Amino acid sequence: MAQHDRRDRPGRRPPTPGDLVVEVVGLGGLGDVVARGSDGAVWYLQGPPPDAGEAEVAAWLAALPGARVAVRPLDARKRRASVGQVRAASPWPPQSDCAAAGRCGGCAWRHVPAELAHREKRARIERLFAPYGVEVALRAPDPGEPGARRRRARLHARQIAGGLVEVG
């Protein structure tokens, strides 16, 4: 009796370009995008290659939480894909004051609206400290000039009176 690989079963074929639409659910810390397929599978969407055309770069920049995008799987086993086309826009319109946004890779979150960036980073910090029962109280940063916003910070922590931890 021949053995069959699970991947050969009907309904288990790897998706082909254009037939996989996912919803963007979050932003990764390295500039990738986290999305979920209709089957519940998590996909990691990578930025466009350096030789990408304007449409591909625009689609990548629009892949913000709430958007529905068609993707091209790059590695179905690791659930890595690239953005092909935006099917439904995110409620967060991309913002960028840099002509190289989406191309150079130096500012992975430069196109992310300040309010969304703060929300996503706050959620990451809360998830980090939650297993230890630590409540996080963060204030919203003053964005100042749009091009002057910091996207990275080095934080230090120390214990203060009452067992509280001060981070800053």
Side-chain angles (χ1 to χ4, degrees), residues 37-139:
S38 59
D39 61 352
V42 174
W43 285 84
Y44 301 96
L45 310 182
Q46 297 177 236
D51 60 344
E54 291 297 321
E56 192 172 359
V57 171
W60 165 250
L61 293 175
L64 294 172
R68 293 188 52 77
V69 295
V71 299
R72 289 184 298 275
L74 301 171
D75 185 338
R77 186 178 60 79
K78 292 183 179 180
R79 301 278 183 191
R80 295 234 172 246
S82 65
V83 177
Q85 179 184 22
V86 177
R87 299 282 175 90
S90 167
W92 301 94
Q95 301 172 349
S96 181
D97 56 353
C98 178
R103 291 188 183 281
C104 76
C107 307
W109 284 33
R110 181 88 179 217
H111 67 290
V112 179
E115 184 182 342
L116 175 60
H118 177 69
R119 187 187 81 180
E120 289 286 323
K121 290 180 180 187
R122 178 186 179 97
R124 291 182 65 190
I125 292 170
E126 288 173 345
R127 283 192 304 270
L128 178 68
F129 286 104
Y132 306 104
V134 175
E135 281 190 44
V136 178
L138 297 174
R139 65 173 180 81

